[in-house]
Every structure is written in structure tokens, then in C-alpha cells.
Amino acid sequence: SQFVWVRGEVHHPGRKPLREGTRLIDGLLDAGGLTAQASGEVAVERQSGTFSHGSRSLVVRLGGREPSPEELEHLSRYLRSGDVVVAVTQHWVTLSGEVRRPGRYPLEDGMTLGRLVDSAGGLTPFGNDRITVRHPDARGEVEVDLGAVRAGKAVDPVLSPGDHVMVKAKLL
């Protein structure tokens, strides 16, 4: 009668039996591990009681193939009956045009247009400061003046999942 829920980007989501000494890593492995769409962030919501730090939620960020000592400590946390474990989906934004490294980039919390362009190595010498952001929803397209953003005269817009950022070439 004791179980935990494992949801999100795992291969076999659902209700998993809670055995004596079940840790977070055990719950994830019982669910078949993380899928390719997982962001590496795992959230645990405790339905009764709290974690040792006093909160009802715990967020673990897994950085790569070899877990750090801190990540191993979090993965070794014991689960309780009713806990909900969620493997968070990785969202992406696409950057194309006159930037040094165009491509698909993972969307991090609060990622702005300026930060995205910086992470792509900046504009090429031919890049235009007037950048188009195409949203996949009803908001459509927005044009942003990156020069004004850099000068503090305009707000650096926060990007959303699925946004496509296009940097056109300057007119010569």
C-alpha cells in the first residue's frame, strides 16, 4: 500500500512500489531512467512531512554523465510514501542567422535574448542589431533592438520554450 509516483521524462512513468530504503535514484531506475528529452532536473514533492532542510520540495540538477558528490547525496535521499518525483522536460530555443554559433540551445530559467546571443558567441561582423523573435504561440513575431538593450534603453526580453530567434545581415 506504500508507493511513490514517478512522472515526466522517464521511460516508464507511474506508481512505483515503495520498499524499505528506497532512494531517489531507485525510484528513477524503477521508472526506466531519464529519457533523451529530460533536462536533468528532477523535482520531488513530499506529500507528508518535509525534507531535512525544512521544505516540502527538493530540486536536484544533474549535470552530466558522472554525478558530482552533491548530486550523489541528493540521489541517495530516501523517498517516503506518497512522494511525487518529476523528471522535468528540457525546453529549447533556436538561434539562426548572423551569429557565431547558430543552433538549438537549452532554455534555462529566465534566459533572455541578450544572454542567448552571448552564449552563441555574439553577432558576426555582418549581424544586424534588429533581431526577430518568433514565438510558436499566438504572440507571433517581435522585433528587438539588441543595441538598445545593451545600452539599457530597452528591456532584454525573456525567451519562451520553442522561440526562434533570427539575426539578419546588415544592409550594406
Side-chain angles (χ1 to χ4, degrees), residues 13 32 50 55-58 61 81 105 109-110 112 125 133-135 140 150 155-156 158 164:
T50 62
S55 174
R56 291 180 60 153
S57 61
L58 172 71
R61 183 88 176 135
S81 183
Y105 287 83
D109 280 343
T112 63
V133 179
R134 182 180 300 147
H135 302 289
R150 300 270 193 236
V155 175
D156 194 0
V158 175
H164 185 144

Side-chain angles (χ1 to χ4, degrees), residues 22-111:
T22 299
R23 300 165 299 155
L24 175 57
I25 187 70
D26 301 321
L28 292 171
L29 290 174
D30 284 349
L34 302 177
T35 68
Q37 291 79 29
S39 68
E41 184 174 290
V42 177
V44 183
E45 290 294 324
R46 182 138 289 165
Q47 301 304 306
S48 62
T50 62
F51 288 96
S52 59
H53 60 278
S55 174
R56 291 180 60 153
S57 61
L58 172 71
V59 177
V60 178
R61 183 88 176 135
L62 305 173
R65 296 183 84 52
E66 292 293 323
S68 71
E70 181 182 339
E71 291 168 347
L72 286 173
E73 181 181 328
H74 287 306
L75 289 169
S76 295
R77 299 258 178 144
Y78 292 106
L79 295 176
R80 291 186 185 167
S81 183
D83 282 355
V84 178
V85 178
V86 179
V88 178
T89 303
Q90 177 65 65
H91 295 286
W92 301 90
V93 292
T94 306
L95 179 61
S96 64
E98 294 297 326
V99 290
R100 297 194 187 282
R101 290 186 304 276
R104 194 170 85 152
Y105 287 83
L107 181 64
E108 299 166 3
D109 280 343
M111 179 177 266

